[in-house]
Amino acid sequence: MSAAVQTELERTRVRARRRQQSKNWTLFLLFAGPNILLILAFIYYPLFSNMYYSTLDWRLGSSSATPVGLENYASFFTSASGIEVWRVTGIFTAGAVLGSMVLGLLIALVLNKKIPGKTAARTAVFSPYVLSGVGVAMVWNFIFDPTRGGLAHILDFFGFDSPEWYLNEDWSLLMVIVVYVWKNLGYCAVVFLAGLQSIPKDLIEAATIDRAGPIRRFVSVTLPLLTPTVFFLLVTNILFSMTNAFDILRTMTPSGHGTNTIIFEIYLQSFGAYQRAGYSAAIAVVLFFTLFFITAVQLRFVERKVHYS
Amino acid sequence: MRRGSWLDAFSRQNLADTIFTGYLPIFVALLVIVLPLAWMVSSSFKPPSEIVTLSPTLLPQDPTAGNYGDVVDRVPLLTMFGNSVYVTLVGSSIKVFLAVTTAYALVFIRVPGRNFIFLGILVALMVPPEVSMLPNYLTITSLGGRDTLWGIILPGLGTAFGTFLLRQHFKALPKEMFEAAELDGAGHFRKLFQIAAPVSIPAIATVGLVTVVNEWNSFLWPLVITGSAEKMTLPVGLNLLQSVETQAGSYGILMAGAVIVIVPMLVIFAALQKYIVAGLTQGSVK
């Protein structure tokens, strides 16, 4: 074969590859383009435009905005109302995550036993997780009603007075935590159950033969093997509780009475009475970076470093 | 002592163990889960006099469907129900379709940088819709989508979750299947719609059901973008109802509203829980 023919062949090959590549790109954009475009327009663009809005002193609906640099951020981290949001978010997250994980684990341990009807029980326990937060919150509003609610009647039966759940800020925060845990614990139970079922039976049996009691077996065998599940749930629950609770908060305490978590504050600041859109955007940016940080920690640290044994 | 005898199962020790660490806790847990929902359904059939009484009964003494009629009088409930069904069905179908085609492209169409594009989609998964709320409100308003059903649907259509789930699934499909189709001269369209999609029905159903659950329950965005009762979805409409009905006697009406938004999902979940649980707990089982 002459050199000329060879280069001609090479050129044809390159051309064919290019044609194939541009055909591939066309197909790729046809298949994935619309979704990518939507993600860019309604997730990425907002993420970055929020960063711009966060540097403005600007009311929603107003045509004028004053650039204020990082003042909104400074205000969120130092003002009394900003610190209050951090405090409420911290308590809500801790209560919601611990409550649903501890109760979820207890239920999973029970459901892990060989008892008839446990599949139906599992379904029932998980069901609140898929129900409308608004509907669920309305039901619990009635239950918590200090004079007409079911809880007041139960407390009355045992000789207690029902506290003013909606008037006292500490009680209202506890109230929304209880409802969030009620809705969320089935999720934890199901994930814990999957974790428990992946623990080899012979390890538990070996511990039993070594005369370890149920508590000892749980602490020395089950719990260490469950660490990956615990960390997974810890991270996802922190993320969920910071974002998913809005419908419960807004329905149970419409104007945020001691229940202003970050997500609720973002809404109240721009769409509530204040209409401080710039300040709200700053909080949204802070929330995004908080979530991003938690996820990054999970991917970098937890996923790699937590091992069995 | 002989271990493992079948008689052990009936020993007093084992029986007590099963009751106190098995049935009793499950019973308590079920009570805590079911009682509020039972209270909701029962109260929705109670006349106001039975709601405000100081000695309530679990079951209505004089059942009435009047509360349901009252809800319809207060808010355009049937329109809202229709809106919710429309938004859920249209939104979910488009989302699932886009998830299938995007996941297919990411796995089977070779272009440089597709892993980078996937990474971009993964990061999008981390941005909660609440963070995009304000800019999306401005975008949709400027497009004239305020107080419209398409304005509710459009910003949520880009799907990172479904794409992620289906990509994992497509990656696990046997390569030979597609190679055989290629030998028969099948292009990407046929490979997607005649092979990849049909063999992945369970995974697609999982994505679809999780999407349906989320769309039906979605609250913040529809709350922000709708203003008139005729364009509201059920959760937003019920929130409006609650702000109007503030007397103690109107709990019956509110519970009727709660039943209407909760029961459809409860029924779908009871029938198809296997797929929904699989989707919502995805990634947890290592």
Side-chain angles (χ1 to χ4, degrees):
Chain A
M1 229 188 305
S2 79
V5 171
Q6 204 155 25
T7 47
E8 184 57 31
L9 207 68
E10 187 62 29
R11 235 178 267 148
T12 320
R13 244 185 237 137
V14 168
R15 233 177 289 141
R17 208 183 301 140
R18 271 208 200 116
R19 213 177 312 130
Q20 182 61 42
Q21 189 132 92
S22 78
K23 197 179 145 209
N24 276 357
W25 265 115
T26 314
L27 273 169
F28 186 88
L29 288 179
L30 192 67
F31 278 51
N35 193 16
I36 293 173
L37 216 61
L38 283 162
I39 289 176
L40 287 177
F42 294 110
I43 298 178
Y44 275 99
Y45 166 73
L47 191 58
F48 291 106
S49 54
N50 250 341
M51 291 182 190
Y52 167 64
Y53 297 148
S54 73
T55 62
L56 303 175
D57 177 17
W58 165 50
R59 277 167 203 286
L60 193 64
S62 150
S63 54
S64 64
T66 327
V68 290
L70 298 179
E71 206 176 277
N72 287 324
Y73 291 94
S75 165
F76 183 48
F77 282 100
T78 55
S79 73
S81 67
I83 291 169
E84 172 67 7
V85 170
W86 284 108
R87 188 187 73 92
V88 169
T89 307
I91 297 176
F92 181 83
T93 305
V97 173
L98 285 179
S100 36
M101 281 183 70
V102 169
L103 290 175
L105 179 59
L106 288 177
I107 291 176
L109 285 171
V110 174
L111 288 176
N112 198 32
K113 289 170 180 277
K114 280 194 184 125
I115 48 174
K118 65 178 179 180
T119 317
R122 196 191 74 155
T123 307
V125 169
F126 190 81
S127 62
Y129 191 66
V130 302
L131 303 182
S132 156
V134 175
V136 162
M138 282 168 71
V139 173
W140 281 93
N141 264 348
F142 186 18
I143 292 173
F144 276 116
D145 186 296
T147 50
R148 314 289 174 207
L151 190 62
H153 293 303
I154 294 173
L155 288 173
D156 187 50
F157 178 82
F158 289 105
F160 296 104
D161 279 338
S162 177
E164 290 291 339
W165 294 101
Y166 295 92
L167 299 180
N168 179 307
E169 304 210 337
D170 293 332
W171 285 122
S172 60
L173 185 55
L174 178 69
M175 182 174 77
V176 293
I177 291 174
V178 167
V179 177
Y180 185 86
V181 168
W182 181 82
K183 196 171 178 323
N184 193 49
L185 64 87
Y187 170 80
C188 298
V190 166
V191 175
F192 269 131
L193 195 58
L196 286 173
Q197 281 166 356
S198 69
I199 293 175
K201 294 266 182 298
D202 43 342
L203 279 178
I204 308 270
E205 275 162 23
T208 314
I209 290 168
D210 290 345
R211 302 196 177 180
I215 292 171
R216 184 71 208 274
R217 281 202 301 265
F218 177 74
V219 173
S220 326
V221 183
T222 311
L223 208 52
L225 289 170
L226 216 53
T227 359
T229 312
V230 171
F231 273 99
F232 170 81
L233 276 177
L234 197 62
V235 174
T236 51
N237 270 309
I238 291 174
L239 297 178
F240 288 166
S241 73
M242 288 183 98
T243 56
N244 289 4
F246 177 79
D247 40 15
I248 291 176
L249 298 172
R250 161 83 187 176
T251 310
M252 297 194 78
T253 53
S255 52
H257 190 71
T259 58
N260 298 27
T261 65
I262 281 195
I263 200 75
F264 199 15
E265 186 74 357
I266 293 174
Y267 169 82
L268 286 175
Q269 287 295 343
S270 51
F271 295 96
Y274 320 103
Q275 306 224 307
R276 292 168 68 194
Y279 184 61
S280 168
I283 306 180
V285 173
V286 172
L287 173 66
F288 170 73
F289 280 110
T290 311
L291 301 184
F292 194 85
F293 175 74
I294 296 171
T295 315
V297 167
Q298 184 208 13
L299 292 178
R300 281 249 152 223
F301 177 73
V302 177
E303 296 267 300
R304 298 213 180 125
K305 298 244 167 102
V306 178
H307 285 302
Y308 304 95
S309 83
Chain B
M1 190 182 90
R2 202 156 58 91
R3 299 192 68 87
S5 148
W6 62 272
L7 276 171
D8 281 1
F10 293 97
S11 71
R12 191 177 292 172
Q13 164 75 37
N14 196 351
L15 216 57
D17 189 57
T18 309
I19 290 172
F20 287 112
T21 65
Y23 281 111
L24 196 65
I26 286 200
F27 180 73
V28 172
L30 286 183
L31 215 58
V32 171
I33 296 297
V34 172
L35 221 47
L37 297 174
W39 178 251
M40 163 187 80
V41 175
S42 150
S43 306
S44 75
F45 290 106
K46 283 180 179 172
S49 62
E50 284 186 43
I51 298 279
V52 295
T53 178
L54 286 175
S55 50
T57 49
L58 187 56
L59 290 176
Q61 301 301 297
D62 185 17
T64 165
N67 290 323
Y68 290 86
D70 286 345
V71 180
V72 181
D73 284 346
R74 303 292 201 283
V75 292
L77 188 83
L78 294 175
T79 311
M80 289 168 174
F81 192 85
N83 290 346
S84 268
V85 171
Y86 179 87
V87 166
T88 303
L89 287 185
V90 173
S92 312
S93 335
I94 298 178
K95 270 175 112 152
V96 171
F97 182 79
L98 291 179
V100 170
T101 54
T102 312
Y104 179 89
L106 285 170
V107 175
F108 294 106
I109 303 178
R110 296 198 157 274
V111 292
R114 60 177 178 171
N115 285 333
F116 180 74
I117 295 174
F118 177 62
L119 194 70
I121 293 177
L122 271 188
V123 173
L125 196 59
M126 273 184 253
V127 185
E130 294 80 0
V131 169
S132 335
M133 171 181 69
L134 180 63
N136 281 347
Y137 173 81
L138 298 171
T139 308
I140 293 293
T141 304
S142 70
L143 291 174
R146 216 184 114 67
D147 222 8
T148 64
L149 293 185
W150 69 260
I152 301 178
I153 298 172
L154 183 63
L157 285 184
T159 168
F161 163 76
T163 303
F164 173 73
L165 224 72
L166 288 176
R167 178 182 175 271
Q168 304 302 98
H169 180 79
F170 285 160
K171 275 190 96 112
L173 292 177
K175 295 266 177 300
E176 295 78 13
M177 222 159 50
F178 295 92
E179 282 161 8
E182 267 166 45
L183 288 178
D184 289 344
H188 282 301
F189 280 97
R190 281 186 54 192
K191 281 199 285 183
L192 168 55
F193 292 110
Q194 294 189 349
I195 303 174
V199 300
S200 311
I201 295 290
I204 295 174
T206 296
V207 171
L209 284 166
V210 170
T211 312
V212 164
V213 168
N214 288 336
E215 295 274 315
W216 180 266
N217 294 335
S218 159
F219 177 57
L220 176 59
W221 176 250
L223 172 74
V224 165
I225 204 68
T226 58
S228 65
E230 281 71 29
K231 296 295 176 196
M232 286 176 180
T233 55
L234 268 182
V236 185
L238 294 178
N239 191 65
L240 174 76
L241 181 73
Q242 185 184 255
S243 64
V244 193
E245 297 291 333
T246 49
Q247 289 167 319
S250 43
Y251 274 124
I253 300 172
L254 296 177
M255 290 307 103
V259 165
I260 291 160
V261 72
I262 281 179
V263 168
M265 276 308 111
L266 211 51
V267 171
I268 291 180
F269 177 69
L272 300 162
Q273 51 103 9
K274 195 176 85 182
Y275 295 108
I276 300 178
V277 172
L280 286 169
T281 56
Q282 188 76 24
S284 59
V285 189
K286 304 247 157 56

